[in-house]
């Protein structure tokens, strides 16, 4: 079974800072998801990627298949980015395996 | 708009009672999932269903039961056998069974045992 590890567990940043959240997994995957969970609990999908890099606004996700590692970057962070960020790995025909999440707080 | 509706949002239960959490989707998705989330832990899979009238246990199925009588609905019953049921429960769906890469989540149901 795939093991998904995220770091850091908690992160506090000043508004405007560049933020990086890391995710590593133990076995080969078909896709890696980045999700965002706001304090109310609902989860939205940010990215799904299997190679290279994707960008949406101030968010950038990268993946290195050989190193089994993915990063989520937030440029020019803002207090509204405060949330829990979760990575999840997809292997074969099995359900997603989730990391424990990184709690981000951006202070104005 | 298409999406997943979970109800109730908050639920309180006395020990020894069974409770059922509702999950309805109008996305025409084939697969549906129930996850449990506890503080400091990742989402853990309780049950999933890829087609109507079929479902599989996830990693933590003990003390829970499900049914999939309709494509749109996948209710979860938390039974009295579940020793520590207080948690946040999330329902999700995907379009092509467990192999699909797209996952849509409901807003969640928070269960508290008094």
């Amino acid at each position: 079974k795939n093991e998904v590890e995220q770091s850091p567990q908690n992160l506090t940043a000043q508004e405007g800072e560049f933020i990086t959240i890391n995710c590593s997994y133990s076995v080969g995957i078909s896709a890696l998801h980045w999700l965002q969970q706001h304090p109310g609990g609902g989860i939205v999908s940010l990215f799904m990627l299997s190679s290279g890099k994707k960008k949406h606004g101030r968010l950038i996700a990268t993946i290195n298949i050989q190193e089994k590692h993915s990063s989520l970057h937030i440029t020019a962070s803002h207090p509204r980015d405060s949330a829990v960020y979760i990575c999840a790995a997809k292997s074969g025909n099995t359900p997603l395996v989730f990391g424990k999440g990184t709690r981000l707080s951006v202070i104005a | 708009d298409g999406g997943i509706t979970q109800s109730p949002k908050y639920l309180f239960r006395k020990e020894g009672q069974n409770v059922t959490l509702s999950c309805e989707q109008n996305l025409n998705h084939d697969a549906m999932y129930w996850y449990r989330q506890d503080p400091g832990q990742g989402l853990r899979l309780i049950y999933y269903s890829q087609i109507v009238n079929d479902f599989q246990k996830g990693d933590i199925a003990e003390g829970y039961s499900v049914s999939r009588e309709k494509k749109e609905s996948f209710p979860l019953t938390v039974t009295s056998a579940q020793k520590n049921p207080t948690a946040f429960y999330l329902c999700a769906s995907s379009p092509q069974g467990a192999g699909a890469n797209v996952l849509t989540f409901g807003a969640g149901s928070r269960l508290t045992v008094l």
Side-chain angles (χ1 to χ4, degrees), chain B residues 5-110:
Chain B
T5 301
Q6 286 187 240
S7 62
K9 187 164 184 168
Y10 298 96
L11 184 60
F12 298 89
R13 181 193 103 171
K14 293 182 180 179
E15 282 191 24
Q17 287 182 334
N18 292 355
V19 293
T20 297
L21 307 180
S22 170
C23 178
E24 303 278 333
Q25 54 102 355
N26 61 2
L27 300 164
N28 200 33
H29 283 177
D30 294 309
M32 298 185 74
Y33 311 81
W34 274 105
Y35 294 94
R36 171 179 171 142
Q37 188 178 37
D38 295 282
Q41 295 204 39
L43 276 69
R44 293 183 289 168
L45 183 63
I46 304 172
Y47 270 98
Y48 66 104
S49 166
Q50 299 186 56
I51 56 172
V52 175
N53 292 323
D54 186 51
F55 47 83
Q56 288 80 40
K57 292 182 179 180
D59 299 321
I60 55 166
E62 185 175 351
Y64 299 97
S65 66
V66 293
S67 63
R68 187 87 186 275
E69 296 177 1
K70 298 186 299 182
K71 187 175 185 177
E72 306 79 36
S73 179
F74 191 41
L76 173 74
T77 297
V78 185
T79 75
S80 56
Q82 169 49 236
K83 298 304 178 191
N84 185 21
T86 294
F88 187 62
Y89 292 88
L90 281 155
C91 178
S93 69
S94 64
Q96 295 163 9
N101 282 321
V102 177
L103 205 61
T104 303
F105 285 89
S109 294
R110 189 168 299 279

